[in-house]
Amino acid sequence: MPATIIEPLQNESAPLFIGLQSYSEAQSDIFYGRDEEIDKLTNLVKANILTIVFGKSGTGKTSLLNAGIFPRLRKNYCLPFRIRLEFNDSSADLVTQIKNILKTEIDKYGFKVESYPGDETLWEYFHKEPLWKSVTPILIFDQFEEIFTLAKKSNRFGNQQQAAFWEELADLIENSIPEKLKDKFLNDKEQIDYSYKNQKIKILFSFREEYLPEFESITSKIPSIKYSRFRLMPMNGNQAYEVITKTWKDKIDANEANKIVGFFANENNKNKSYDVMEIEPSLLSQVCAYIDRQRITEGRDKISADFLNKYPKETILRSIYDEVLAEANAAVPDNHLNNAKLLLKPVNEFVEDKLITDEGYRTKYDLNEIAERLKPGIDVLQKKYFVRDDGKSIELTHDVLTPIIKTDREKRRKEIAVAAARKKANRRALIIIILSILAAALIWYLITRKAISDRNDAIEQKQQLDVKIKNASDSLRWIGDSIKKRQFHLNELKQNKNGTYTIGDSTYSNLLLQSHDDSANLALLQKQFNDLNNQKFLFQNNIALQNAQIDSLINNKKKVDIINNDLKRNIENLKRIISFDSDRLVLLQKNYDDLRKEYNDYRIKHPELYSPENRPAEDEQSDTNSLKLNLYYSSSHKTKAPPNLEIYCIPVTDANKKIIRKAKVYEIGCDQLQLNKATGKKIAKFVNGIYTFYNVAPGKYFIKICAYYGGYYTYTKTSSGNV
């Protein structure tokens, strides 16, 4: 076979552990701890046409294939083709992708072939190409669960294309003559110049174990799926010890290596045998890489486990992630808010929105779609092995990051939703205030307009009354003058009658009668004049009152303007307070999370404080009516759950209905602020390896387990006593 292409190993100044990066085939000489798995899986592949490899995320399936299986297979005249299918809108169809990888790898290793895969089926190509008579081709599909996740989300890869893909693989695995070729082969209508009965191709599927049921559903098409299976488990303590000591060699002694292995044991299982320990390789590599960087930074030649005492193991990966993302965000130019010290997180948002799906699975993102401003931050992630690119797209290096990213995304989106709701409420309050001001202004306008109209009517009536009074006054003056003249003549007549002059009696009588009538008219006019004066006085008072009302309204308008200005200032102050409170809320939430972690760490370090002799008196008295839980990660392995979980027992009542409904929505961890509001809720205490709720009366309860892989359960206690 042609010589294997060797890639350069990492330089001497770099950490000896590669962190989240998967081991490559060129790093097979530093890939330790998996010899037994390599032997078993290699034998399965050699003995079977199809082998499936499955395991939890973070167990190192890709590293096992690259650095463990590939070199062994090459020594046995096998040519492994690592295939990672793509599901972008611009990607070729699935079968064409396989053919393109075959051509690229054949050229890479310098094999001479008569032909490359073309329009014929894969079954035809692997039966007729002479190369496969001496070399066994092995198609290794890595991350194959994406056929059930990413493909379903793409309109490009619908049921029709997937059906064609599975048909090609089924023919290849089961060595079934493709339907369109059966007439030619079985009836010998054409001369067949190669053997179609012998099968040399081998295939391996590698995927996360939660997708095993999906593969069970296609056994009717590919029966071989049921036979050759390999489950990759996490490392045990012995394997972890081997990885640590063989990687660091003379840089670590046995005592320090044992301390690091013990770091991965549960707090209540410190004395557990290394054989039954379970350690995720991804976490082991990441923690050791972190320690190695500390060693290099401090200029030490030897590894010390003292560093692990600084942090609980649950926070190490989070610390590493936050540290790398902070550096990536700082690399983005002009990444500050209003020239303040508050650093934005555009790289976090990019990772959360573009590199994982809504369900929390890794996905690829087209390199050409990345904004120029973000590229310096993405470069930082690549240098830290958090992301990788294949020249066309970018993706996370490992699934172990996805829970952290999904948690951050949910938190960010919740904060955005709260801020939007607060903004909406503020906008609604502002609209209400503005409408109230407009309504008050409209009412003031209408009242003022009515008052001014009434005043104008009163002034017009007063003017008309002034004319009447003037006319009456003129009439009174004229009548008065006439009466005076008549009185003068009457006096003269009286003198003439008694004196020198004489006049007829009739003339004198007429004058007396006229004088009497004039006096009566004068009295009537005087009464009318007095009435008009009284009306004038009333109108003047009315006008004065209306003027006073208008002045009052004008003063009220000034007061309303002052109040409006005060309201505007108050609104601006409220906006500033809300903005300050929002930032403070984020800080308080972080402080709350830190305090909670410290509390859990304290519980782990001081289990004696939670032993039966230290329980409160009310717990002792109610111990005859308790509810006890035995929790395991899985029923098959009986691996005990850790002692630092928070588990809630909430009565199923109408008062708690809303809280229970929200708690049933799956998320990593719990919304403890909501759960603590539940009426009658209880929190379990970890006593003698068992979670216990004290003083639980008979009834129906909702039990919520706050953990990454926790869940919820409904339990009905039918009688008093311990259960």
Side-chain angles (χ1 to χ4, degrees):
M1 292 182 63
T4 302
I5 295 177
I6 302 296
E7 301 170 6
L9 297 179
Q10 57 198 102
N11 61 58
E12 290 296 327
S13 63
L16 298 176
F17 282 87
I18 63 175
L20 289 174
Q21 186 184 24
S22 297
Y23 283 87
S24 67
E25 187 173 352
Q27 294 169 312
S28 60
D29 58 337
I30 60 169
F31 180 66
Y32 304 115
R34 290 296 197 180
D35 290 344
E36 183 179 351
E37 288 85 348
I38 293 172
D39 289 339
K40 289 181 178 179
L41 183 53
T42 302
N43 291 333
L44 281 176
V45 173
K46 289 165 61 178
N48 297 275
I49 298 299
L50 172 65
T51 301
I52 63 173
V53 178
F54 57 93
K56 292 180 179 178
S57 174
T59 52
K61 296 182 292 296
T62 299
S63 293
L64 179 68
L65 295 174
N66 288 344
I69 303 302
F70 283 16
R72 292 281 188 94
L73 292 176
R74 292 189 194 281
K75 293 178 181 179
N76 289 275
Y77 297 96
C78 297
L79 181 57
F81 296 92
R82 183 179 182 273
I83 299 171
R84 175 82 182 277
L85 296 174
E86 296 181 350
F87 302 94
N88 301 318
D89 290 340
S90 59
S91 301
D93 65 81
L94 301 178
V95 175
T96 301
Q97 288 185 45
I98 297 173
K99 294 177 179 179
N100 291 339
I101 292 172
L102 291 173
K103 181 181 185 304
T104 300
E105 291 296 304
I106 290 170
D107 289 343
K108 175 182 177 181
Y109 290 102
F111 284 102
K112 300 298 182 180
V113 294
E114 289 188 359
S115 65
Y116 294 109
D119 295 334
E120 74 271 42
T121 64
L122 291 172
W123 184 91
E124 287 179 274
Y125 176 71
F126 282 111
H127 278 85
K128 75 178 184 179
E129 170 55 45
L131 173 63
W132 311 130
K133 294 179 180 179
S134 57
V135 176
T136 301
I138 304 179
L139 305 185
I140 299 179
F141 292 86
D142 196 13
Q143 312 284 335
F144 198 53
E145 69 273 3
E146 292 173 348
I147 194 74
F148 301 112
T149 58
L150 302 184
K152 290 182 178 179
K153 287 188 165 292
S154 173
N155 295 327
R156 172 78 173 79
F157 300 93
N159 293 332
Q160 184 175 356
Q161 186 173 142
Q162 287 196 46
F165 169 74
W166 283 114
E167 183 179 354
E168 287 248 16
L169 286 186
D171 291 340
L172 202 58
I173 295 168
E174 303 299 334
N175 199 22
S176 300
I177 299 174
E179 195 67 34
K180 65 180 182 179
L181 301 176
K182 282 186 178 180
D183 186 53
K184 178 171 67 174
F185 278 78
L186 298 181
N187 297 327
D188 293 327
K189 291 184 177 180
E190 294 184 24
Q191 181 66 33
I192 307 302
D193 56 358
Y194 60 88
S195 173
Y196 59 86
K197 295 181 180 179
N198 295 327
Q199 173 76 304
K200 290 209 66 176
I201 184 74
K202 294 181 182 293
I203 293 178
L204 183 148
F205 293 143
S206 175
F207 54 89
R208 294 204 305 270
E209 66 180 32
E210 59 263 37
Y211 288 92
L212 186 58
E214 299 281 0
F215 281 89
E216 298 286 2
S217 66
I218 59 173
T219 53
S220 58
K221 295 179 181 178
I222 310 176
S224 298
I225 285 178
K226 297 183 291 185
Y227 304 128
S228 178
R229 300 185 175 193
F230 180 83
R231 185 188 187 197
L232 183 60
M233 300 294 293
M235 285 184 171
N236 59 36
N238 294 320
Q239 291 173 309
Y241 182 85
E242 179 185 348
V243 170
I244 292 169
T245 55
K246 287 188 175 182
T247 302
W248 273 320
K249 298 179 181 177
D250 58 348
K251 297 185 183 300
I252 190 169
D253 57 37
N255 184 46
E256 296 300 312
N258 282 318
K259 286 182 181 179
I260 295 177
V261 174
F263 174 76
F264 294 93
N266 289 333
E267 200 67 28
N268 59 333
N269 291 318
K270 282 294 186 182
N271 298 320
K272 181 182 285 188
S273 169
Y274 278 10
D275 291 331
V276 294
M277 289 180 63
E278 290 189 357
I279 301 173
E280 287 191 4
S282 58
L283 183 59
L284 173 67
S285 182
Q286 191 64 32
V287 170
C288 290
Y290 202 15
I291 296 173
D292 213 14
R293 284 197 296 272
Q294 288 296 116
R295 175 186 66 82
I296 295 171
T297 301
E298 296 173 8
R300 297 184 185 182
D301 184 54
K302 292 284 188 179
I303 297 295
S304 173
D306 293 340
F307 173 74
L308 298 180
N309 298 327
K310 298 179 182 179
Y311 305 100
K313 84 177 167 186
E314 292 82 3
T315 64
I316 286 183
L317 193 59
R318 161 61 70 179
S319 300
I320 297 169
Y321 176 78
D322 289 343
E323 178 184 321
V324 172
L325 266 293
E327 184 177 343
N329 285 316
V332 177
D334 303 324
N335 188 27
H336 287 80
L337 180 63
N338 297 328
N339 296 322
K341 293 183 179 180
L342 180 59
L343 188 68
L344 298 176
K345 297 182 178 181
V347 180
N348 290 65
E349 294 182 14
F350 170 80
V351 172
E352 293 165 14
D353 293 336
K354 305 299 184 183
L355 298 188
I356 65 170
T357 64
D358 292 339
E359 295 81 4
Y361 301 115
R362 280 192 296 167
T363 186
K364 293 184 177 182
Y365 189 75
D366 194 330
L367 282 171
N368 295 327
E369 298 296 326
I370 300 176
E372 282 295 325
R373 178 172 173 265
L374 289 178
K375 288 184 177 178
I378 304 301
D379 290 340
V380 172
L381 297 184
Q382 288 180 300
K383 292 176 183 177
K384 300 291 185 178
Y385 302 118
F386 269 54
V387 298
R388 61 184 169 219
D389 73 77
D390 55 9
K392 296 183 295 183
S393 59
I394 189 172
E395 68 173 340
L396 296 170
T397 56
H398 210 289
D399 289 327
V400 75
L401 292 172
T402 57
I404 296 175
I405 297 170
K406 185 180 179 185
T407 299
D408 287 355
R409 183 178 65 187
E410 290 174 352
K411 181 180 178 181
R412 175 172 62 86
R413 289 180 177 177
K414 188 180 293 184
E415 289 173 354
I416 292 173
V418 170
R422 186 183 292 114
K423 184 177 181 181
K424 184 177 180 181
N426 293 339
R427 190 185 299 115
R428 187 182 298 129
L430 183 61
I431 291 173
I432 292 173
I433 292 173
I434 293 173
L435 290 177
S436 300
I437 293 173
L438 291 175
L442 179 61
I443 293 171
W444 176 85
Y445 170 75
L446 294 176
I447 293 174
T448 303
R449 183 178 177 183
K450 179 70 167 57
I452 293 174
S453 176
D454 291 344
R455 185 184 67 174
N456 292 337
D457 291 343
I459 290 173
E460 184 179 354
Q461 292 178 12
K462 177 178 175 297
Q463 290 173 349
Q464 293 175 358
L465 187 61
D466 286 341
V467 172
K468 290 181 180 180
I469 290 173
K470 183 177 181 304
N471 292 336
S473 178
D474 292 342
S475 298
L476 285 173
R477 193 181 306 110
W478 183 82
I479 292 174
D481 292 342
S482 177
I483 290 174
K484 288 179 181 179
K485 290 179 181 180
R486 291 176 186 275
Q487 190 66 39
F488 176 76
H489 288 302
L490 183 60
N491 290 335
E492 285 184 346
L493 288 174
K494 286 181 179 180
Q495 292 176 4
N496 291 336
K497 184 177 180 181
N498 297 321
T500 310
Y501 299 101
T502 61
I503 189 170
D505 291 336
S506 61
T507 302
Y508 178 73
S509 298
N510 288 335
L511 285 172
L512 285 175
L513 182 59
Q514 290 178 5
S515 177
H516 178 74
D517 291 340
D518 287 340
S519 297
N521 288 335
L522 180 62
L524 179 61
L525 287 172
Q526 186 66 46
K527 181 177 182 303
Q528 292 177 351
F529 181 77
N530 290 336
D531 291 341
L532 289 172
N533 273 329
N534 289 335
Q535 291 182 26
K536 178 180 179 181
F537 177 75
L538 292 175
F539 275 115
Q540 287 175 336
N541 286 342
N542 189 22
I543 291 170
L545 179 61
Q546 290 173 349
N547 283 330
Q549 289 178 348
I550 291 172
D551 292 338
S552 176
L553 288 171
I554 292 172
N555 290 333
N556 288 339
K557 175 65 167 56
K558 293 178 180 178
K559 291 179 181 179
V560 169
D561 290 339
I562 294 172
I563 292 172
N564 288 344
N565 292 331
D566 290 339
L567 285 173
K568 290 178 181 178
R569 285 193 295 271
N570 289 338
I571 289 170
E572 293 300 322
N573 289 334
L574 284 173
K575 287 181 178 179
R576 285 193 290 270
I577 292 171
I578 289 170
S579 177
F580 174 78
D581 287 344
S582 298
D583 295 337
R584 189 164 176 266
L585 176 63
V586 174
L587 179 61
L588 289 174
Q589 182 65 43
K590 183 179 183 303
N591 292 338
Y592 168 78
D593 294 338
D594 292 342
L595 287 172
R596 183 178 166 217
K597 289 176 182 176
E598 290 180 11
Y599 168 73
N600 289 334
D601 295 340
Y602 191 81
R603 287 184 63 181
I604 294 172
K605 293 178 180 178
H606 300 281
E608 69 278 0
L609 297 180
Y610 297 89
S611 60
E613 57 271 17
N614 290 313
R615 291 201 304 268
E618 59 268 22
D619 288 353
E620 286 290 343
Q621 296 169 1
S622 60
D623 195 25
T624 57
N625 202 28
S626 61
L627 177 61
K628 300 181 180 180
L629 306 178
N630 264 313
L631 293 184
Y632 302 93
Y633 277 119
S634 66
S635 59
S636 58
H637 294 283
K638 294 294 183 181
T639 302
K640 279 279 191 178
N644 59 340
L645 297 178
E646 288 197 10
I647 306 176
Y648 288 78
C649 180
I650 301 174
V652 179
T653 62
D654 290 340
N656 296 329
K657 185 185 298 183
K658 186 175 180 181
I659 294 174
I660 292 173
R661 185 173 66 251
K662 288 184 177 180
K664 286 183 177 181
V665 177
Y666 175 76
E667 59 182 347
I668 297 175
C670 293
D671 187 350
Q672 279 135 324
L673 293 177
Q674 280 294 324
L675 294 175
N676 285 325
K677 295 178 182 179
T679 303
K681 65 99 174 59
K682 293 181 181 295
I683 300 177
K685 295 185 178 179
F686 191 76
V687 179
N688 293 332
I690 297 176
Y691 284 97
T692 303
F693 297 105
Y694 292 99
N695 197 20
V696 179
K700 189 174 183 180
Y701 295 92
F702 174 79
I703 298 175
K704 176 69 174 179
I705 301 172
C706 296
Y708 277 111
Y709 300 104
Y712 58 86
Y713 307 90
T714 301
Y715 175 76
T716 301
K717 188 176 181 184
T718 57
S719 60
S720 299
N722 291 329
V723 180

